[in-house]
Amino acid sequence: MPLRDTLARVDGDLAAGRIPVARQRLHGLVSSYPDDPTPRRRLAEVYRLYGEPSEAGRWMYLEPDRDAAETTAFEARYRTAPDRMRALAWRGPESLARTDFARERLAAVRVRCSQEVGRPVDWDAVPSGAESDGRERSFTDFLAGGGCLLAALAFLAVWVNGLVALFE
């Protein structure tokens, strides 16, 4: 469905109080038209209705008239550059952005992500969370594995105890 028609449906959804439906439509538009600022701005407006400044800041991050408090909330929620790259949902090179400000912001996030990950990255291959914080992730995996091992040993102990009790 064309952008204009879907935005008209969003207007109808908002007028009817169907805010979650409008939000879902706008997420689809951002996915289909990542370089168009209109769906991003509208999505920020919807998140303001929900009282979620970090999400409003997320969708206004590429705009020069963004709210500083929302931007700060976005950066606090998405602390690392790889997290921000994934959150911004951009696809393709920065040159597709419609404004110089957006191109500069996208380039800054990508360069910072490359520094954090230790290799060049681009918007079409954003590093996963495990790739960006490998040391922290491996410790989490170790703890999860240890918990599974303890659960298996506990199950085995209960099973052996029941087996012994059965033959006594």
Side-chain angles (χ1 to χ4, degrees), residues 1-11 13 25-26 28-33 36 38-39 42 98:
M1 181 175 286
L3 177 66
R4 189 177 329 187
D5 294 344
T6 306
L7 287 173
R9 285 186 174 205
V10 166
D11 290 336
D13 292 333
R25 285 187 204 278
L26 288 166
L29 286 176
V30 167
S31 231
S32 298
Y33 304 95
D36 193 321
T38 304
R42 297 293 302 278
R98 297 189 181 188

Side-chain angles (χ1 to χ4, degrees), residues 1-167:
M1 181 175 286
L3 177 66
R4 189 177 329 187
D5 294 344
T6 306
L7 287 173
R9 285 186 174 205
V10 166
D11 290 336
D13 292 333
L14 291 172
R18 295 186 304 262
I19 298 172
V21 174
R23 183 185 66 198
Q24 193 62 32
R25 285 187 204 278
L26 288 166
H27 274 286
L29 286 176
V30 167
S31 231
S32 298
Y33 304 95
D35 61 322
D36 193 321
T38 304
R40 290 175 181 272
R41 283 182 167 278
R42 297 293 302 278
L43 198 48
E45 292 169 12
V46 167
Y47 277 108
R48 284 186 195 109
L49 293 174
Y50 280 112
E52 293 188 36
S54 64
E55 288 300 305
R58 171 185 182 184
W59 300 112
M60 286 295 290
Y61 196 72
L62 303 178
E63 299 298 320
D65 60 338
R66 62 191 180 168
D67 180 84
E70 290 175 350
T71 300
T72 300
F74 166 70
E75 291 174 341
R77 181 171 183 185
Y78 299 94
R79 295 176 194 265
T80 67
D83 288 343
R84 288 183 191 146
M85 280 187 79
R86 283 189 299 279
L88 289 172
W90 186 263
R91 288 194 323 262
E94 291 100 16
S95 61
L96 294 177
R98 297 189 181 188
T99 65
D100 289 337
F101 183 83
R103 283 189 288 277
E104 290 169 9
R105 296 303 314 147
L106 289 166
V109 170
R110 182 185 47 76
V111 167
R112 180 72 181 141
C113 182
S114 294
Q115 292 169 345
E116 287 181 22
V117 173
R119 65 174 176 76
V121 297
D122 62 33
W123 289 98
D124 293 324
V126 178
S128 68
E131 190 177 345
S132 63
D133 60 352
R135 191 169 13 131
E136 195 173 303
R137 179 71 64 191
S138 62
F139 181 70
T140 304
D141 290 345
F142 171 76
L143 289 177
C148 288
L149 179 63
L150 284 174
L153 288 174
F155 175 77
L156 184 62
V158 169
W159 183 78
V160 167
N161 188 34
L163 190 63
V164 168
L166 181 66
F167 289 109

